[in-house]
Amino acid sequence: MSAPAGRARRVLAATAVAVAGTLAVGMAVAAPSSADAAPTLGQLAAAKGRYFGSATDNPTLDNAPYTAVLGGEFNQITVGNTQKWMYTEPSRGQFDYTQADRIVAFARAHDQVVRGHTLVWHNQLPGWIDTVPAGELLGVMRNHVANVAGHYRGEVVHWDVVNEAFEEDGTRRQSVFQQKIGDGYIAEAFKAARAADPNAKLYYNDYNIEGIGAKSDAVYDLVKSFKQQGIPIDGVGMQAHLILGQVPGTVQRNIQRFADLGVDVALTELDIRMNTPRDAAKDAQQAQDYRTVVNACLAVTRCVGITIWDFSDGYSWIPSVFPGEGAALIYDENFAKKPSYWAVYEALGGTTTTTTTTTTTTGDNGTGCTATYRVVGQWHGGYQAEVTVRNTGTAATTGWRVGWTLAQGQTVSSLWNGVLTTSGQQATVRNATYNGRIAVNGTAAFGFVGASAGTNPAPVITCATT
Ligand code: G3I
């Protein structure tokens, strides 16, 4: 198969999409909804000169609801399994690209760039590898890399050339390649990949190297020595299989130190797992964790893109490997967007906030207020909003009242820092006992979680001091 040279670069340089701009006080801005044709994660990432993608595997390509999201939401795809050695060279010297070609064709049809995964890895190898005499394995490895990277020449923007070559303590993993070829096998794999596809960016890829530590130090030293020796390496892939609430504090600094060596960085397999089942608190933490990771990447110019390791909790590798854990992705099993989706969306510059303010002049003794309504998270069937009341008068308030209409059948299911009453479609929130007094130009805020069946546009909100 062939593709026009430079296709990948053109896609990555895709025209910036129109992203809703800064919200202005006093303006009502529509929340994204299907009717509003909100930008996709891929479009938002492209507007920042990056990609946001997903891994995928062949069985799901026949699942229409799945492929609708895969093809529509992302501007990058990683071949999750079927470019691995056991699939591409099941018998020595016999290459089979049937399955991986299908994924690459899907990506091409949806204008998505492809990360190739992976040329040399200790896992998912065909059984015959173990029978190759030590003296022949370097030739076998070079031949494999030449064939696979050659087959996808022009189709793959990044190759994970070598995957997971280090142990947690920074020593070399004793893979068949390490044992039979020795330390030099990694450099040889990169040289073979460069020869096979000179335009693909060549990555070293590993897990638990997102933060600074013994393992990432070992990778750092490898990259540094490759750079010094002129061995071709273009990027480091940090897999980012993370745990809820445990995003390493050094992620951004770590990405930056690799960038400073003169290589790109990609977050290649992001997921953030939790003990199942999900609940609202875990979802909120996960959203915060995704936001932290995306922001860390965006803060470093050479962090070129982020890939999640499949996008739906129903198609994740986690539950089968970590029983009792899962819900690690940004869509649920039914392809509904989770709070983590909206966190990524916002971090990439998308606007989910709906803001409207109304000033009242009815307060006593020079008091008055504005109320700012903001949707801070939306998911299938629900949303979380926050309302900030500001004292715009010349004296402290003793109480306040905010009102809006639940015009689209929304409900408010729980509310904090205020007292809710509803009458038909009218919602009214009065201050709680402890936050009625707002100093001049000070604020009080309340929040709530609600349900919304369809669109959830910004309400007109009123505010009065009492
Ligand atoms: O293809 C067979 C199928 O015929 C059989 O019916 C089925 C029964 O279990 O197994 C299928 O193979 C599975 C394969 O995925 C394809 O679904 C293997 O058992 C299973 O072990 C394999 O897991 C993959 C794993 O790599 C192997 O280590 C995951 O899907 C894949 O997501 C995962 O990806 C890795 C990255 O490549 C590297 N970084 C870590 C990441 C997560 O482990």
Side-chain angles (χ1 to χ4, degrees), residues 251-459:
V251 174
Q252 184 181 323
R253 200 147 52 87
N254 194 36
I255 294 172
Q256 185 66 59
R257 73 169 173 157
F258 279 98
D260 291 345
L261 285 178
V263 290
D264 293 337
V265 176
L267 303 179
T268 54
E269 305 184 14
L270 176 61
D271 48 28
I272 303 177
R273 63 185 185 267
M274 61 175 72
N275 293 321
T276 48
R278 296 164 58 193
D279 61 29
K282 292 177 194 171
D283 277 0
Q285 178 67 53
Q286 186 181 53
Q288 182 54 42
D289 291 346
Y290 268 96
R291 190 187 306 271
T292 300
V293 173
V294 174
N295 283 338
C297 179
L298 293 178
V300 181
T301 309
R302 291 199 76 145
C303 187
V304 297
I306 301 172
T307 309
I308 47 178
W309 205 243
D310 231 312
F311 60 85
S312 156
D313 290 341
Y315 301 87
S316 167
W317 67 290
I318 301 277
S320 63
V321 175
F322 298 100
E325 296 181 61
L329 295 164
I330 63 173
Y331 287 78
D332 75 8
E333 297 81 352
N334 301 313
F335 309 115
K337 293 167 178 170
K338 295 165 58 182
S340 49
Y341 173 94
W342 294 110
V344 171
Y345 182 92
E346 284 194 329
L348 290 173
T351 307
T352 59
T353 52
T354 53
T355 301
T356 178
T357 63
T358 300
T359 306
T360 177
T361 55
T362 58
D364 298 331
N365 302 324
T367 63
C369 60
T370 61
T372 303
Y373 178 108
R374 182 170 177 266
V375 174
V376 295
Q378 296 206 77
W379 52 92
H380 184 65
Y383 67 109
Q384 181 176 327
E386 186 180 88
V387 176
T388 303
V389 180
R390 178 177 294 278
N391 179 356
T392 56
T394 55
T397 63
T398 53
W400 44 265
R401 182 181 73 232
V402 162
W404 72 97
T405 305
L406 299 161
Q408 305 294 326
Q410 301 100 324
T411 62
V412 176
S413 48
S414 64
L415 186 139
W416 53 93
N417 293 340
V419 178
L420 170 75
T421 51
T422 51
S423 172
Q425 291 189 325
Q426 181 63 33
T428 303
V429 174
R430 290 182 170 75
N431 58 277
T433 51
Y434 50 85
N435 64 358
R437 184 182 188 284
I438 308 176
V440 174
N441 205 32
T443 59
F446 67 89
F448 61 92
V449 172
S452 76
T455 57
N456 188 22

Side-chain angles (χ1 to χ4, degrees), residues 149 153-154 193-202 234:
R153 182 174 175 145
R194 178 67 95 228
D197 186 352
N199 291 322
K201 299 275 189 198
L202 306 182
D234 304 304

Side-chain angles (χ1 to χ4, degrees), residues 55 57 59 79-82 84 86-87 99 117-118 121-124 160 163-164 205-207 239 241 268-269 271 309-310 315-318 320-322:
D57 202 1
V79 184
N81 270 312
T82 50
K84 293 170 181 172
M86 66 180 283
Y87 296 97
Q99 296 201 73
H117 177 81
T118 172
W121 188 28
H122 67 277
N123 206 349
Q124 287 176 292
D160 288 333
N163 194 38
E164 302 176 4
N205 192 52
D206 214 329
Y207 60 89
Q239 294 185 7
H241 294 295
T268 54
E269 305 184 14
D271 48 28
W309 205 243
D310 231 312
Y315 301 87
S316 167
W317 67 290
I318 301 277
S320 63
V321 175
F322 298 100

